[in-house]
């Protein structure tokens, strides 16, 4: 049984927002994710969460498990490699941005699954 995965990620960084484009092939199924995050909205959400004392206690309770997450994430990431990293200027939504583009493929199958 082969585990085929290829993830194309593009991150556009501007002065007021971040755009994340992810095109993923996982078990021959294609998925596309587009997310645009404004810094002001993101900052408001983060600050409102940390103002509440209950949520701070919940976050601190999960810090004990970060060691195990890192341990297993390293084992999983050995099966994947990052290819075709590029950084270039681009215009997105009438704003000049920097685009960071890379591809994550599994280490066993090193050929491209996307028809580029």
């Amino acid at each position: 049984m082969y585990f085929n995965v290829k993830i194309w990620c593009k991150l556009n960084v501007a002065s007021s927002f971040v755009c994340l484009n992810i095109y993923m092939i996982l078990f021959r199924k294609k998925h596309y994710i587009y997310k645009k995050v404004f810094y002001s909205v993101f900052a408001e959400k983060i600050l409102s969460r940390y103002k509440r004392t209950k949520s701070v206690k919940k976050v601190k309770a999960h810090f004990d498990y970060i060691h195990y997450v890192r341990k297993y994430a390293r084992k999983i990431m050995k099966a994947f490699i990052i290819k075709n990293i590029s950084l270039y200027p681009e215009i997105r939504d009438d704003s000049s941005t920097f685009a960071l583009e890379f591809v994550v493929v599994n280490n066993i199958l090193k050929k491209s699954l996307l028809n580029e």
Side-chain angles (χ1 to χ4, degrees):
M1 181 175 169
Y2 291 103
F3 178 67
N4 296 331
V5 64
K6 183 170 183 180
I7 302 171
W8 171 80
C9 298
K10 183 176 180 182
L11 182 69
N12 290 82
V13 180
S15 60
S16 62
F17 63 88
V18 173
C19 283
L20 179 66
N21 297 311
I22 299 175
Y23 182 70
M24 179 174 24
I25 295 177
L26 181 64
F27 296 121
R28 296 184 183 171
K29 292 184 180 180
K30 298 177 183 179
H31 307 281
Y32 183 73
I33 301 168
Y34 175 78
K35 186 75 175 173
K36 186 174 183 179
V37 179
F38 289 94
Y39 297 129
S40 59
V41 175
F42 183 71
E44 286 177 12
K45 287 183 181 179
I46 294 297
L47 291 175
S48 67
R49 285 183 188 171
Y50 283 107
K51 286 181 182 176
R52 298 184 212 136
T53 57
K54 291 181 182 178
S55 64
V56 172
K57 290 179 183 177
K58 287 181 185 178
V59 169
K60 287 183 180 179
H62 291 294
F63 281 144
D64 297 336
Y65 300 107
I66 289 177
H67 171 72
Y68 298 108
V69 170
R70 286 183 184 165
K71 179 181 173 183
Y72 293 115
R74 287 184 189 139
K75 289 181 180 179
I76 292 170
M77 288 308 295
K78 286 182 182 179
F80 298 98
I81 57 175
I82 297 175
K83 295 173 59 177
N84 303 336
I85 300 173
S86 59
L87 178 69
Y88 54 90
E90 187 179 55
I91 295 179
R92 166 77 89 191
D93 298 334
D94 297 330
S95 299
S96 61
T97 65
F98 285 102
L100 175 67
E101 186 175 325
F102 59 93
V103 178
V104 179
V105 295
N106 54 334
N107 203 8
I108 299 166
L109 182 67
K110 293 185 180 179
K111 65 179 184 177
S112 177
L113 296 176
L114 294 175
N115 296 329
E116 296 181 29

